[in-house]
CSV table of all heavy atoms in Angstrom, one decimal:
chain,number,residue,atom,x,y,z
A,185,ILE,N,0.3,-34.8,23.8
A,185,ILE,CA,-0.1,-34.1,25.0
A,185,ILE,C,-1.3,-33.2,24.6
A,185,ILE,O,-2.2,-33.1,25.5
A,185,ILE,CB,1.0,-33.3,25.6
A,185,ILE,CG1,0.6,-32.8,27.0
A,185,ILE,CG2,1.5,-32.2,24.7
A,185,ILE,CD1,0.2,-33.8,28.0
A,186,ASP,N,-1.3,-32.6,23.5
A,186,ASP,CA,-2.5,-31.8,23.0
A,186,ASP,C,-3.7,-32.6,23.0
A,186,ASP,O,-4.8,-32.2,23.3
A,186,ASP,CB,-2.2,-31.1,21.7
A,186,ASP,CG,-1.1,-30.1,21.8
A,186,ASP,OD1,-1.1,-29.3,22.7
A,186,ASP,OD2,-0.3,-30.1,20.9
A,187,GLN,N,-3.6,-33.9,22.5
A,187,GLN,CA,-4.7,-34.8,22.4
A,187,GLN,C,-5.3,-35.2,23.7
A,187,GLN,O,-6.5,-35.2,24.0
A,187,GLN,CB,-4.4,-36.0,21.6
A,187,GLN,CG,-3.9,-35.7,20.1
A,187,GLN,CD,-3.5,-37.0,19.4
A,187,GLN,OE1,-4.2,-38.0,19.5
A,187,GLN,NE2,-2.5,-36.9,18.6
A,188,ILE,N,-4.3,-35.4,24.7
A,188,ILE,CA,-4.7,-35.8,26.0
A,188,ILE,C,-5.5,-34.6,26.7
A,188,ILE,O,-6.5,-34.8,27.3
A,188,ILE,CB,-3.5,-36.2,26.9
A,188,ILE,CG1,-2.9,-37.5,26.3
A,188,ILE,CG2,-3.9,-36.5,28.3
A,188,ILE,CD1,-1.6,-37.9,26.9
A,189,LEU,N,-4.9,-33.4,26.6
A,189,LEU,CA,-5.5,-32.2,27.2
A,189,LEU,C,-6.8,-32.0,26.6
A,189,LEU,O,-7.8,-31.6,27.3
A,189,LEU,CB,-4.6,-31.0,27.0
A,189,LEU,CG,-3.2,-31.0,27.8
A,189,LEU,CD1,-2.4,-29.9,27.3
A,189,LEU,CD2,-3.5,-31.0,29.3
A,190,GLY,N,-7.0,-32.1,25.2
A,190,GLY,CA,-8.2,-31.9,24.6
A,190,GLY,C,-9.3,-32.9,25.1
A,190,GLY,O,-10.4,-32.5,25.3
A,191,HIS,N,-8.9,-34.1,25.2
A,191,HIS,CA,-9.8,-35.1,25.8
A,191,HIS,C,-10.3,-34.8,27.2
A,191,HIS,O,-11.5,-34.9,27.5
A,191,HIS,CB,-9.2,-36.5,25.8
A,191,HIS,CG,-10.0,-37.5,26.5
A,191,HIS,ND1,-11.0,-38.3,25.8
A,191,HIS,CD2,-10.0,-38.0,27.8
A,191,HIS,CE1,-11.6,-39.1,26.7
A,191,HIS,NE2,-11.0,-38.9,27.9
A,192,ILE,N,-9.4,-34.4,28.0
A,192,ILE,CA,-9.7,-34.0,29.4
A,192,ILE,C,-10.7,-32.9,29.4
A,192,ILE,O,-11.7,-32.9,30.1
A,192,ILE,CB,-8.5,-33.7,30.2
A,192,ILE,CG1,-7.7,-35.0,30.4
A,192,ILE,CG2,-8.9,-33.1,31.6
A,192,ILE,CD1,-6.3,-34.8,31.1
A,193,ARG,N,-10.4,-31.8,28.7
A,193,ARG,CA,-11.3,-30.6,28.6
A,193,ARG,C,-12.7,-31.0,28.1
A,193,ARG,O,-13.7,-30.4,28.6
A,193,ARG,CB,-10.6,-29.5,27.8
A,193,ARG,CG,-9.4,-28.9,28.5
A,193,ARG,CD,-8.9,-27.7,27.8
A,193,ARG,NE,-8.3,-28.0,26.5
A,193,ARG,CZ,-7.0,-28.0,26.3
A,193,ARG,NH1,-6.2,-27.8,27.3
A,193,ARG,NH2,-6.5,-28.3,25.1
A,194,GLN,N,-12.7,-31.8,27.1
A,194,GLN,CA,-14.0,-32.2,26.5
A,194,GLN,C,-14.8,-33.1,27.4
A,194,GLN,O,-16.1,-33.1,27.4
A,194,GLN,CB,-13.8,-32.9,25.2
A,194,GLN,CG,-15.0,-33.0,24.3
A,194,GLN,CD,-14.7,-33.5,22.9
A,194,GLN,OE1,-13.7,-34.2,22.7
A,194,GLN,NE2,-15.6,-33.2,22.0
A,195,ASN,N,-14.2,-33.9,28.3
A,195,ASN,CA,-14.9,-34.9,29.1
A,195,ASN,C,-14.7,-34.6,30.6
A,195,ASN,O,-15.0,-35.5,31.4
A,195,ASN,CB,-14.4,-36.3,28.8
A,195,ASN,CG,-14.6,-36.6,27.3
A,195,ASN,OD1,-15.7,-37.0,27.0
A,195,ASN,ND2,-13.6,-36.6,26.5
A,196,VAL,N,-14.4,-33.4,31.0
A,196,VAL,CA,-14.1,-33.1,32.4
A,196,VAL,C,-15.4,-33.3,33.3
A,196,VAL,O,-15.3,-33.4,34.5
A,196,VAL,CB,-13.6,-31.7,32.5
A,196,VAL,CG1,-14.7,-30.6,32.3
A,196,VAL,CG2,-12.9,-31.5,33.9
A,197,TYR,N,-16.6,-33.3,32.7
A,197,TYR,CA,-17.8,-33.5,33.5
A,197,TYR,C,-18.0,-34.9,33.9
A,197,TYR,O,-18.9,-35.2,34.7
A,197,TYR,CB,-19.0,-33.0,32.7
A,197,TYR,CG,-18.7,-31.6,32.1
A,197,TYR,CD1,-18.3,-31.5,30.7
A,197,TYR,CD2,-18.9,-30.4,32.8
A,197,TYR,CE1,-18.0,-30.2,30.2
A,197,TYR,CE2,-18.7,-29.2,32.3
A,197,TYR,CZ,-18.2,-29.1,31.0
A,197,TYR,OH,-18.0,-27.9,30.4
A,198,ASP,N,-17.3,-35.9,33.3
A,198,ASP,CA,-17.5,-37.3,33.5
A,198,ASP,C,-16.2,-37.8,34.2
A,198,ASP,O,-15.2,-38.0,33.5
A,198,ASP,CB,-17.8,-38.0,32.2
A,198,ASP,CG,-18.2,-39.5,32.5
A,198,ASP,OD1,-17.7,-40.1,33.5
A,198,ASP,OD2,-18.9,-40.0,31.6
A,199,ASN,N,-16.2,-38.1,35.5
A,199,ASN,CA,-15.0,-38.5,36.2
A,199,ASN,C,-14.4,-39.8,35.6
A,199,ASN,O,-13.2,-39.9,35.6
A,199,ASN,CB,-15.3,-38.7,37.7
A,199,ASN,CG,-15.6,-37.4,38.4
A,199,ASN,OD1,-15.1,-36.3,38.0
A,199,ASN,ND2,-16.4,-37.4,39.5
A,200,ASP,N,-15.3,-40.7,35.2
A,200,ASP,CA,-14.7,-42.0,34.6
A,200,ASP,C,-13.9,-41.8,33.4
A,200,ASP,O,-12.9,-42.5,33.2
A,200,ASP,CB,-15.9,-42.9,34.3
A,200,ASP,CG,-16.6,-43.4,35.5
A,200,ASP,OD1,-16.0,-43.4,36.6
A,200,ASP,OD2,-17.8,-43.8,35.4
A,201,LEU,N,-14.2,-40.7,32.6
A,201,LEU,CA,-13.4,-40.5,31.4
A,201,LEU,C,-12.2,-39.7,31.5
A,201,LEU,O,-11.4,-39.5,30.6
A,201,LEU,CB,-14.3,-39.8,30.4
A,201,LEU,CG,-15.6,-40.5,29.9
A,201,LEU,CD1,-16.4,-39.7,28.9
A,201,LEU,CD2,-15.3,-41.9,29.4
A,202,THR,N,-11.9,-39.3,32.8
A,202,THR,CA,-10.6,-38.6,33.0
A,202,THR,C,-9.7,-39.3,34.0
A,202,THR,O,-8.7,-38.8,34.5
A,202,THR,CB,-10.9,-37.1,33.6
A,202,THR,OG1,-11.7,-37.2,34.8
A,202,THR,CG2,-11.6,-36.3,32.6
A,203,LYS,N,-10.1,-40.5,34.4
A,203,LYS,CA,-9.3,-41.4,35.2
A,203,LYS,C,-8.0,-41.8,34.5
A,203,LYS,O,-8.0,-42.0,33.2
A,203,LYS,CB,-10.1,-42.6,35.7
A,203,LYS,CG,-11.1,-42.3,36.7
A,203,LYS,CD,-11.8,-43.6,37.1
A,203,LYS,CE,-12.9,-43.3,38.2
A,203,LYS,NZ,-13.6,-44.6,38.6
A,204,ILE,N,-6.9,-42.0,35.2
A,204,ILE,CA,-5.7,-42.4,34.6
A,204,ILE,C,-5.8,-43.7,33.9
A,204,ILE,O,-5.3,-43.9,32.8
A,204,ILE,CB,-4.6,-42.5,35.7
A,204,ILE,CG1,-4.3,-41.1,36.3
A,204,ILE,CG2,-3.3,-43.1,35.1
A,204,ILE,CD1,-3.2,-41.1,37.4
A,205,SER,N,-6.6,-44.6,34.4
A,205,SER,CA,-6.8,-45.9,33.8
A,205,SER,C,-7.4,-45.8,32.4
A,205,SER,O,-7.0,-46.4,31.4
A,205,SER,CB,-7.6,-46.9,34.7
A,205,SER,OG,-8.8,-46.3,35.0
A,206,PHE,N,-8.5,-44.9,32.3
A,206,PHE,CA,-9.1,-44.7,31.0
A,206,PHE,C,-8.2,-44.0,30.0
A,206,PHE,O,-8.1,-44.4,28.9
A,206,PHE,CB,-10.4,-43.8,31.2
A,206,PHE,CG,-11.2,-43.6,30.0
A,206,PHE,CD1,-12.2,-44.5,29.6
A,206,PHE,CD2,-10.9,-42.6,29.1
A,206,PHE,CE1,-12.9,-44.4,28.5
A,206,PHE,CE2,-11.6,-42.4,28.0
A,206,PHE,CZ,-12.6,-43.3,27.6
A,207,LEU,N,-7.5,-43.0,30.5
A,207,LEU,CA,-6.6,-42.2,29.6
A,207,LEU,C,-5.5,-43.1,29.1
A,207,LEU,O,-5.1,-43.1,27.9
A,207,LEU,CB,-6.0,-41.0,30.3
A,207,LEU,CG,-7.0,-39.9,30.8
A,207,LEU,CD1,-6.3,-38.9,31.7
A,207,LEU,CD2,-7.6,-39.3,29.5
A,208,ALA,N,-5.0,-44.0,29.9
A,208,ALA,CA,-3.9,-44.9,29.5
A,208,ALA,C,-4.4,-45.8,28.4
A,208,ALA,O,-3.7,-46.0,27.4
A,208,ALA,CB,-3.4,-45.7,30.7
A,209,ASN,N,-5.6,-46.3,28.6
A,209,ASN,CA,-6.1,-47.3,27.6
A,209,ASN,C,-6.4,-46.5,26.3
A,209,ASN,O,-6.1,-47.0,25.2
A,209,ASN,CB,-7.4,-47.9,28.2
A,209,ASN,CG,-8.0,-48.9,27.2
A,209,ASN,OD1,-7.4,-49.9,26.8
A,209,ASN,ND2,-9.2,-48.6,26.7
A,210,LYS,N,-7.0,-45.3,26.4
A,210,LYS,CA,-7.4,-44.6,25.2
A,210,LYS,C,-6.1,-44.2,24.4
A,210,LYS,O,-6.2,-44.3,23.1
A,210,LYS,CB,-8.2,-43.3,25.6
A,210,LYS,CG,-8.6,-42.5,24.4
A,210,LYS,CD,-9.4,-41.3,24.8
A,210,LYS,CE,-9.7,-40.4,23.6
A,210,LYS,NZ,-10.6,-41.1,22.6
A,211,PHE,N,-5.0,-43.8,25.0
A,211,PHE,CA,-3.9,-43.3,24.3
A,211,PHE,C,-2.7,-44.4,24.2
A,211,PHE,O,-1.6,-44.0,24.0
A,211,PHE,CB,-3.4,-42.0,25.0
A,211,PHE,CG,-4.4,-40.9,24.8
A,211,PHE,CD1,-5.2,-40.6,25.8
A,211,PHE,CD2,-4.5,-40.2,23.6
A,211,PHE,CE1,-6.2,-39.5,25.7
A,211,PHE,CE2,-5.4,-39.2,23.4
A,211,PHE,CZ,-6.2,-38.8,24.5
A,212,ASN,N,-3.1,-45.6,24.5
A,212,ASN,CA,-2.2,-46.8,24.3
A,212,ASN,C,-0.9,-46.6,25.1
A,212,ASN,O,0.2,-46.7,24.6
A,212,ASN,CB,-1.9,-47.0,22.8
A,212,ASN,CG,-3.1,-47.3,22.0
A,212,ASN,OD1,-3.9,-48.1,22.4
A,212,ASN,ND2,-3.3,-46.5,20.9
A,213,MET,N,-1.0,-46.2,26.4
A,213,MET,CA,0.1,-46.1,27.2
A,213,MET,C,-0.2,-46.8,28.5
A,213,MET,O,-1.4,-47.0,28.9
A,213,MET,CB,0.4,-44.6,27.5
A,213,MET,CG,0.7,-43.8,26.2
A,213,MET,SD,0.8,-42.0,26.6
A,213,MET,CE,2.4,-41.9,27.4
A,214,SER,N,0.9,-47.2,29.3
A,214,SER,CA,0.6,-47.7,30.6
A,214,SER,C,0.3,-46.6,31.6
A,214,SER,O,0.5,-45.4,31.3
A,214,SER,CB,1.9,-48.4,31.1
A,214,SER,OG,2.9,-47.5,31.4
A,215,GLN,N,-0.3,-46.9,32.7
A,215,GLN,CA,-0.7,-45.8,33.7
A,215,GLN,C,0.5,-45.1,34.2
A,215,GLN,O,0.4,-43.8,34.3
A,215,GLN,CB,-1.5,-46.4,34.8
A,215,GLN,CG,-2.9,-47.0,34.4
A,215,GLN,CD,-3.7,-47.5,35.6
A,215,GLN,OE1,-3.7,-46.8,36.6
A,215,GLN,NE2,-4.4,-48.6,35.4
A,216,SER,N,1.6,-45.8,34.4
A,216,SER,CA,2.8,-45.1,34.9
A,216,SER,C,3.4,-44.2,33.9
A,216,SER,O,3.9,-43.1,34.1
A,216,SER,CB,3.8,-46.1,35.4
A,216,SER,OG,4.2,-47.0,34.4
Side-chain angles (χ1 to χ4, degrees):
I185 190 60
D186 293 316
Q187 297 179 41
I188 296 171
L189 292 172
H191 171 87
I192 291 173
R193 289 189 289 258
Q194 193 172 25
N195 298 283
V196 72
Y197 313 95
D198 188 332
N199 289 336
D200 290 336
L201 298 183
T202 57
K203 288 181 178 178
I204 294 177
S205 57
F206 183 91
L207 295 172
N209 182 63
K210 179 176 177 64
F211 293 99
N212 300 313
M213 302 172 73
S214 69
Q215 293 187 39
S216 60

